[in-house]
Amino acid sequence: MVVKLLDQVRAKLRLLHYAWGTAQSSTRWIERYIRFHKRGNVWRHPADLSATAVKEFLMHLARDRQVSASTQEPSPRK
């Protein structure tokens, strides 16, 4: 059985006992990242994207979406 990426993320966050709201927020940010890099009908897996792709997404958030820099900070690891 193939497990979808976001289902894997949710399972991992539950395993690490992240709060429900944190898990929801993290999953939504990952989904936004994936959708940002969709080209036409082609979905690209995040594992296939480079560090440049991350920078492009962060620049898009800061420039086009006026997302605060503090929102772009990674959550602390357990």
Side-chain angles (χ1 to χ4, degrees):
M1 173 168 67
V2 176
V3 180
K4 293 184 178 184
L5 175 65
L6 293 177
D7 292 336
Q8 292 176 9
V9 170
R10 287 182 193 101
K12 182 68 172 186
L13 294 174
R14 277 194 302 273
L15 180 69
L16 295 173
H17 303 287
Y18 275 71
W20 184 86
T22 302
Q24 289 294 330
S25 179
S26 296
T27 305
R28 283 193 299 265
W29 277 114
I30 293 167
E31 185 175 2
R32 286 182 191 110
Y33 177 73
I34 293 168
R35 287 182 184 281
F36 176 78
H37 289 292
K38 179 182 176 194
R39 300 293 183 244
N41 290 331
V42 179
W43 293 90
R44 298 171 63 196
H45 193 281
D48 299 332
L49 299 170
S50 66
T52 303
V54 174
K55 289 179 185 176
E56 288 174 3
F57 181 64
L58 293 176
M59 288 298 296
H60 160 72
L61 292 176
R63 183 184 55 236
D64 304 328
R65 302 292 302 252
Q66 288 85 37
V67 173
S68 151
S70 63
T71 305
Q72 298 175 34
E73 295 292 322
S75 58
R77 294 185 137 195
K78 288 186 175 186

